[in-house]
Amino acid sequence: MDKPVLYIVIPCYNEQEVLPITSGLFLQKIRDLAAAGKISGDSRVLFVNDGSRDDTWQIIQRLAEEDEHFEGVSLSRNRGHQNALLGGLMTAKDRCDVTISIDCDGQDDIDAMDAMIDAYLDGCEVVYGVRSKRATDTFFKRFTAEGFYHLMNWLGAGIVFNHADYRLMSSRVLDEFANYKEVNIFLRGMVPLVGFKSTSVYYERAERIAGESHYPLKKMLALAFDGITSLSVKPIRMITGLGVVVSVLSFIGVLWAIIAALSGHAVAGWASTVCMVCFMGGVQLLCLGVIGEYIGKIYMETKARPRYIISEHTWDGAEK
């Protein structure tokens, strides 16, 4: 059996501070795996520049010039982490046997790739990198992150607990994954839908090596909401259930008001009226907001716009 060609796919956005450090770590891992006879010497590190506004793309170009094991593609504009990662995976799928996606910041344990490759050689087509604990997170981040995973699974989206986007995928899986055409993507929830034999590798996540995180609370909340609305219709069903409950309560309230009026015990008051109006108005606005989010997703899907556009690459020729 020929040694598999591995592509390590790394999305980058404004990573000029950390890229010169972690690039050497990724290159050394390629060399170590090749020296151990687990992968081919033709394996590569593929950086995806997600419309960075600093010198990230210039650094990637320089790395590619200095060592053939580095390659890079640049998106025409910033498309977000998920689209950038998808662009890298789709670029790599016809150039390799297996990919490992990982972030550029050095927080994910690079040495876990050894166990991932071992699992692949044993027949697994997908290997999830799963955090064994969240000791480096603040209480708030740990509480909200784990709560999100529990919520997603409760809503019916079968995502892997404490798994982000550190994973191995074979080219066979990527070929099938290319058939998933939705515009609103949430990879950690979509990959399990493809199926095939899979397993998990556990590791401890470290602190960011350099630079600052590009995923503030606002972006994390947006990603979480995208994941929920892209993978589950349960919120719509919950709204239906809430509507039934509120309707029943409202019907009971109407009966009570009629009986009170007929019996002469009705008392004029504005407090109860204001409370009821505010409550119903809040429920209606919330429901309209959730329904509107789904309609917005449908609107974007019907447009079928490209999820990413590659404007440049580091290798010669016209291939992209």
Side-chain angles (χ1 to χ4, degrees):
M1 178 180 178
D2 294 335
K3 297 175 183 176
V5 176
L6 167 67
Y7 263 57
I8 301 177
V9 180
I10 308 167
C12 304
Y13 176 67
N14 292 344
E15 300 288 5
Q16 65 176 13
E17 295 182 16
V18 72
L19 190 55
I21 302 173
T22 55
S23 59
L25 301 177
F26 296 127
L27 177 59
Q28 188 59 49
K29 178 52 63 177
I30 287 281
R31 289 172 173 169
D32 290 344
L33 289 170
K38 296 182 178 181
I39 63 173
S40 168
D42 294 328
S43 299
R44 297 288 185 266
V45 178
L46 177 63
F47 295 107
V48 183
N49 175 43
D50 184 22
S52 299
R53 289 173 289 192
D54 59 5
D55 293 331
T56 296
W57 179 235
Q58 288 71 29
I59 294 173
I60 293 173
Q61 290 177 309
R62 186 173 69 249
L63 290 170
E65 292 173 357
E66 294 173 352
D67 195 296
E68 64 178 1
H69 290 92
F70 289 119
E71 293 182 356
V73 294
S74 183
L75 304 190
S76 59
R77 69 178 182 88
N78 178 253
R79 291 292 299 164
H81 179 275
Q82 297 290 280
N83 286 297
L85 178 53
L86 178 65
L89 292 172
M90 293 299 102
T91 300
K93 75 180 181 67
D94 296 325
R95 305 167 68 86
C96 66
D97 300 302
V98 61
T99 64
I100 294 179
S101 58
I102 188 172
D103 288 339
C104 185
D105 53 22
Q107 289 188 272
D108 295 320
D109 184 9
I110 296 177
D111 290 333
M113 291 185 186
D114 295 69
M116 289 183 172
I117 293 296
D118 289 339
Y120 169 74
L121 295 175
D122 286 338
C124 289
E125 303 274 3
V126 181
V127 183
Y128 301 102
V130 179
R131 296 180 63 171
S132 57
K133 57 183 179 180
R134 290 182 169 269
T136 59
D137 289 349
T138 63
F139 171 79
F140 176 76
K141 185 174 182 179
R142 181 169 61 252
F143 177 78
T144 54
E146 292 185 349
F148 165 71
Y149 285 106
H150 286 301
L151 175 63
M152 288 294 292
N153 284 306
W154 179 72
L155 290 174
I159 64 175
V160 179
F161 189 77
N162 271 340
H163 162 70
D165 289 298
Y166 187 18
R167 72 179 70 86
L168 176 149
M169 299 173 68
S170 70
S171 58
R172 181 186 179 194
V173 173
L174 289 172
D175 285 338
E176 298 300 330
F177 190 72
N179 295 321
Y180 286 68
K181 303 297 185 181
E182 53 255 53
V183 174
N184 302 283
I185 60 173
F186 184 67
L187 296 180
R188 70 188 70 174
M190 294 169 63
V191 172
L193 298 177
V194 182
F196 294 100
K197 184 179 179 181
S198 65
T199 189
S200 298
V201 168
Y202 296 88
Y203 69 96
E204 293 186 19
R205 204 163 192 249
E207 296 285 353
R208 185 180 176 91
I209 292 180
E212 297 180 355
S213 172
H214 302 296
Y215 249 80
L217 179 62
K218 181 180 178 181
K219 283 190 175 182
M220 288 191 291
L221 289 175
L223 178 65
F225 204 67
D226 280 343
I228 292 172
T229 54
S230 297
L231 295 169
S232 176
V233 296
K234 200 166 184 177
I236 294 289
R237 293 172 181 169
M238 291 171 62
I239 286 177
T240 303
L242 178 61
V244 171
V245 172
V246 172
S247 297
V248 170
L249 293 177
S250 299
F251 180 72
I252 294 174
V254 170
L255 290 178
W256 173 80
I258 293 174
I259 294 172
L262 293 176
S263 62
H265 296 295
V267 178
W270 61 271
S272 59
T273 302
V274 169
C275 290
M276 183 60 68
V277 169
C278 290
F279 173 72
M280 291 301 299
V283 170
Q284 289 173 346
L285 288 176
L286 175 63
C287 294
L288 285 174
V290 175
I291 294 171
E293 186 68 24
Y294 278 93
I295 294 174
K297 290 288 177 67
I298 296 171
Y299 174 68
M300 295 304 297
E301 292 291 342
T302 57
K303 286 179 175 292
R305 290 173 175 170
R307 294 171 289 187
Y308 59 88
I309 298 174
I310 295 177
S311 60
E312 297 180 71
H313 52 85
T314 59
W315 53 85
D316 295 330
E319 181 185 0
K320 292 188 179 182

